[in-house]
Amino acid sequence: MIYMDVNASAPLRPEVADKCLPFLRELHGNPSSIHAAGRKLRAAIDEARDCVAAFFGCAPREVIFVSGGSEADNLAIKGVARALRGKGNHIVTTAVEHPAVLNACRDLADDGFEIAYLDVDRQGRLDLDRLKAALTDRTILISIMAANNETGVVFPVAQIGEIAAARGIAFHCDAVQAAGRLPLDAAAAKIDLLSLSGHKLGAPSGGGALIVRGNVKPHPQIHGGLQEFGRRAGTENAAAIVGLGEACAVLQKTMTDEIRRVGALRDRLECGLRTALSFATAIGDKQSRLSNTSLMVFAGVAADSLLVNLDLAGIAVSSGSACAAGTVRPSHVLAAMGLPPDLNKCALRFSLGIHNTEAEVDDVLRILPAMAVRLRKP
Ligand SMILES: Cc1ncc(COP(=O)(O)O)c(C=O)c1O
C-alpha cells in the first residue's frame, strides 16, 4: 500500500516500536507502585517527559501526559475556562480549528461562555489585526492551532503568543499537526498550553501530552488519583508515553532533514498532478505550509469517488479530515476559506511522511490522472 495519510495517523517509527515493545511484553506494573517493577515504569515515564520537554522548549514538570490530541485540547480549553471563570467568559479561536477545539468551545458556549471565531482568507491565513480587535477585557483564552490538519497552512504562533502575553491572556496552541513538522519552542513562542498527539509523530495512538507553562493551571477534566501532578488522573499508558518520548528524541536529531526530504516528495507530487491535470489546484498559502501536506482540488471529480478508486489501487489518502471519515462531509476549513460547495466536494488531502519514496510518488502520478479524467463530470 502507498500510504499518504500521515496527518490522519503516521506509521509507527521502528525505533519507537523497539522502545515500546518491552513495556507491552515484559515490563508489567503500575508506575505509582513502590516496588521495583513500578519504579522501572516511573523512571521510563520520567525519561520520556525529559525528551518531550527538551524537544518542545519547556520544563519536564510542564508536560502532562494524556491520551492524545483531543484530550489535550479539551483539558486546555475546558480546564482553563473552569480555572479562569472568575476573570472572564470570553474565548477567541478560529473557524478552522480541529473539531476537538471547536466542539470543546461549543460545550463551553452551552455553559455561558462567549466564543469568537476568527475567519481566514482564501489562502487560509489569519489576520492578526482581527485577532487583536476580537480581544476584550473578558477574554481569558486564545486557542489557535499551529498548523491546519487539512491544508497544512501554518499560523504565526510566535506573533499570536506576543499578542496574548501583552494582554495577559492565556494562549493555547493545538500543535498536533505542526509537532515534528516544524520547529516549535513553547517558551520562545510564549505558548502557555500546547497540545500534542503521539500517533501523528510516529508514536502509538493512545498517547499525547498537554504542555502547561507559566501561571495558567487548567482544572483537571478527569478526576481520580494524583497522577500527572494532579492534572490528569488515571494509571499512565507507559508504552504510549515511552513511545512519545522516543519519537521526540528521534525527531530532535532528524526533523530538519525529514522536513526537507518529505517536502521534496510533496512538491514532486503536487507539481506532477498540476502538470498532468489542468483542473487540479493546490489549496492554501504556498508561503507558509507544512512541507508534508498537499490539499488538492480536482474540479469536477467527486473526492469520495476518487478516494475509493485510489484505495482500490492501493493508495491511501484522505478527503478533508479523517475525523469525519466514513461520511465524506464538506470541509468546514475549506468553507471558511471561501471555497464554493461544488469545489469543496472535490478536495483530496495527501499527507506524506518519511516512509514515502520517490517511486511511490511516481506511481501515484502514473495512476491518479487517468482515474481523475475518467471520473470527471465537467
Ligand atoms: C489539529 C488536530 N488537533 C487535534 C486532533 C486530535 O488528535 P487525536 O487523534 O490524538 O485525538 C487532530 C487529529 O487529527 C488534529 O489534526
Side-chain angles (χ1 to χ4, degrees), residues 7 68-70 73 98 145 149 174 176-177 197 199-200 323:
N7 288 13
S70 298
D73 286 342
H98 187 271
M145 66 201 327
N149 44 305
D174 176 340
V176 164
Q177 294 294 344
S197 169
H199 71 118
K200 315 286 183 179
C323 303

Side-chain angles (χ1 to χ4, degrees), residues 351-374:
S351 50
L352 282 66
I354 38 159
H355 64 283
N356 290 124
T357 63
E358 221 171 79
E360 288 183 332
V361 169
D362 291 345
D363 276 345
V364 175
L365 292 175
R366 191 172 45 77
I367 294 166
L368 189 149
M371 214 177 246
V373 168
R374 183 166 50 79

Side-chain angles (χ1 to χ4, degrees), residues 302-313:
D304 51 354
S305 306
L306 190 51
L307 186 83
V308 169
N309 277 269
L310 286 169
D311 185 33
L312 291 172

Side-chain angles (χ1 to χ4, degrees), residues 49 61 63-64 75 217-234 236:
R49 205 183 300 281
R61 67 175 184 291
V63 177
I64 312 295
L75 175 56
K217 299 284 174 259
H219 279 199
Q221 297 302 298
I222 296 178
H223 299 273
L226 290 176
Q227 290 92 349
E228 296 304 301
F229 315 110
R231 306 237 160 263
R232 199 276 189 181
E236 298 88 338

